[in-house]
Amino acid sequence: MNIIVIGFGFIGRGVIEAFLRKAERIRRLDEDFRVVGVSDSRGYVYDSEGLDLKRLIGVDELSQYPSGYCRGGSAEDLIEMEGVDLMVEATPTNVVDGEPGLTFMRRALRRGIHVVTSNKGPLVVAFHELKSLAEEGGCQLLFEGTVAGAIPIFSLVRESLQGDEILRISGILNGTTNYILSRMHFEGTSFEIALKEAQERGITERDPSYDVDGIDAACKVVILANALMNRDVRFEDVERTGIRRVTQEAVSLAKRSNFAIKLVGTIDRRIEVAPKLVPINHPLCVHGTLNAVHIEADLAGEITLVGYGAGRETVSAVLNDVLTVLKSEAKKKG
Ligand SMILES: NC(=O)c1ccc[n+]([C@@H]2O[C@H](COP(=O)([O-])OP(=O)(O)OC[C@H]3O[C@@H](n4cnc5c(N)ncnc54)[C@H](OP(=O)(O)O)[C@@H]3O)[C@@H](O)[C@H]2O)c1
């Protein structure tokens, strides 16, 4: 298969490194696997015979790749190239209009190109449209990396809960706010100091309101509701309260009663993100930057998954989605 990678940042580069590291496993599924194009916001590199991945991860900037850098060229040019089978999309998240990723995904799916993405924006803005385009184009749209990083929530439901109906989901879906609330819980730190610590550790978004006002968690709730519970939920439908008004006194009081205050996203009759009291011995009650997703299914009952919601672990989710596509294509060929 011919792969293009759109976005050569933390995730895009990490995925290419993973392709190299797991080359043997990949080749067992597809001996013709090659990355033919990679783009950033300023241009792209393309080679129909396959790019040299070792060289690619050795450069600081895409433009330093030894041959064929097309300055001013866009990801859309790559999508239009002959013979592209799969696009890994890892451009910045924009939850206002989903761009630039939304345009790239629409274009790719219309051309029958499989899409694997870690970018929430397009899915928050146009989930059902993109799913329909994938169906019409006879291709897959996979997005494990968009919610709870490395936690395989979508593949778990897709593969292992095929007969179940998902009745309710609740989750700690933002590692930054969980870090802040954990510092407040264990160290008695104030919200302001814990936020400053999180910023110093580089784990907040550039605009911290994205984390602390629950915007990021609300986006994930939208994707979970649409993808796993067949709802038609938009960002505005999520009742959202962040953690700015959680005081040290409230956290201490909760702690004395064996609870922790956590920012919880819930999909039930109500769809909301809000600080909640979680019993300290509940499986959802994870600390630090960990995420947790608790699902209630009609046959399986309650299942909780815990893991890292962001960072390099996210590459595992993206790679797994790519391998899922390779496997199903290999099956088709017989
Ligand atoms: N980092 C994580 O831990 C994590 C975890 C889960 C999900 N995600 C999501 O994964 C996506 C990528 O994250 P990241 O951390 O890799 O971001 P990043 O480091 O900021 O990289 C973004 C990349 O996208 C490129 N880009 C921007 N506009 C583009 C355009 N119009 N056409 C082509 N490329 C364009 C940027 O190019 P320039 O360098 O030229 O600007 C850059 O290479 C985001 O949507 C993010 O929310 C990230």
Side-chain angles (χ1 to χ4, degrees):
M1 285 182 90
N2 291 332
I3 319 294
I4 56 174
V5 178
I6 310 303
F8 190 55
F10 184 78
I11 298 291
R13 190 184 277 271
V15 168
I16 291 168
E17 272 173 27
F19 287 161
L20 250 184
R21 217 170 124 193
K22 305 289 176 175
E24 223 182 285
R25 183 172 301 223
I26 291 171
R27 296 242 178 272
R28 259 185 267 141
L29 286 171
D30 176 12
E31 41 185 49
D32 296 323
F33 179 94
R34 55 192 164 217
V35 177
V36 294
V38 179
S39 88
D40 62 14
S41 67
R42 290 153 288 175
Y44 64 76
V45 289
Y46 176 77
D47 184 342
S48 60
E49 297 300 312
L51 297 162
D52 181 333
L53 301 190
K54 258 194 200 139
R55 287 188 151 175
L56 205 46
I57 60 166
V59 299
D60 293 328
E61 295 280 335
L62 200 52
S63 57
Q64 292 164 356
Y65 186 76
S67 60
Y69 181 71
C70 174
R71 192 176 297 281
S74 88
E76 292 178 65
D77 302 336
L78 283 183
I79 295 166
E80 296 300 323
M81 297 284 185
E82 209 48 56
V84 173
D85 301 299
L86 187 156
M87 170 175 86
V88 174
E89 207 282 345
T91 63
T93 287
N94 162 359
V95 295
V96 178
D97 62 10
E99 296 300 348
L102 182 54
T103 295
F104 301 156
M105 289 187 203
R106 280 183 177 134
R107 257 211 144 111
L109 294 170
R110 283 195 182 115
R111 285 180 63 80
I113 296 172
H114 302 290
V115 172
V116 167
T117 188
S118 59
N119 178 0
K120 290 180 286 298
L123 299 174
V124 170
V125 172
F127 184 85
H128 291 292
E129 180 205 327
L130 291 171
K131 277 307 261 188
S132 303
L133 284 177
E135 258 162 49
E136 285 158 23
C139 48
Q140 299 195 51
L141 167 65
L142 297 175
F143 41 85
E144 191 68 77
T146 59
V147 178
I151 300 179
I153 174 77
F154 299 110
S155 22
L156 174 93
V157 174
R158 194 174 58 235
E159 300 298 328
S160 309
L161 296 174
Q162 295 185 43
D164 276 78
E165 186 186 346
I166 307 300
L167 306 172
R168 186 175 186 278
I169 301 178
S170 53
I172 294 179
L173 302 168
N174 178 271
T176 306
T177 43
N178 206 34
Y179 172 85
I180 292 171
L181 292 171
S182 299
R183 294 293 291 168
M184 292 172 75
H185 183 92
F186 289 108
E187 314 298 332
T189 316
S190 69
F191 167 77
E192 289 75 18
I193 291 186
L195 170 60
K196 207 158 166 269
E197 277 178 13
Q199 285 172 315
E200 279 163 12
R201 288 188 52 172
I203 57 170
T204 54
E205 294 286 335
R206 232 168 284 162
D207 173 6
S209 73
Y210 194 68
D211 296 309
V212 299
D213 295 327
I215 298 169
D216 174 62
C219 289
K220 291 164 176 168
V221 159
V222 171
I223 300 174
L224 287 170
N226 289 331
L228 299 183
M229 295 174 75
N230 207 20
R231 302 273 187 99
D232 188 6
V233 173
R234 289 163 311 154
F235 181 77
E236 307 76 65
D237 300 327
V238 184
E239 291 174 50
R240 178 168 55 83
T241 312
I243 64 163
R244 283 185 200 273
R245 285 156 75 182
V246 175
T247 61
Q248 176 47 235
E249 290 68 34
V251 171
S252 302
L253 201 64
K255 188 177 176 181
R256 281 206 290 278
S257 316
N258 287 327
F259 286 89
I261 296 182
K262 297 287 178 191
L263 185 67
V264 179
T266 311
I267 309 155
D268 204 348
R269 269 188 301 270
R270 285 175 73 177
I271 301 178
E272 69 168 341
V273 170
K276 298 266 178 195
L277 286 169
V278 179
I280 206 81
N281 58 359
H282 189 280
L284 203 55
C285 198
V286 297
H287 304 293
T289 56
L290 280 173
N291 283 20
V293 185
H294 185 76
I295 53 183
E296 293 173 33
D298 63 344
L299 300 179
E302 299 185 34
I303 297 175
T304 307
L305 300 173
V306 175
Y308 288 105
R312 64 195 148 81
E313 289 82 0
T314 308
V315 167
S316 155
V318 179
L319 179 66
N320 191 65
D321 280 348
V322 170
L323 294 177
T324 300
V325 175
L326 295 187
K327 231 180 217 169
S328 63
E329 288 301 303
K331 227 180 197 173
K332 272 191 211 163
K333 281 187 195 154

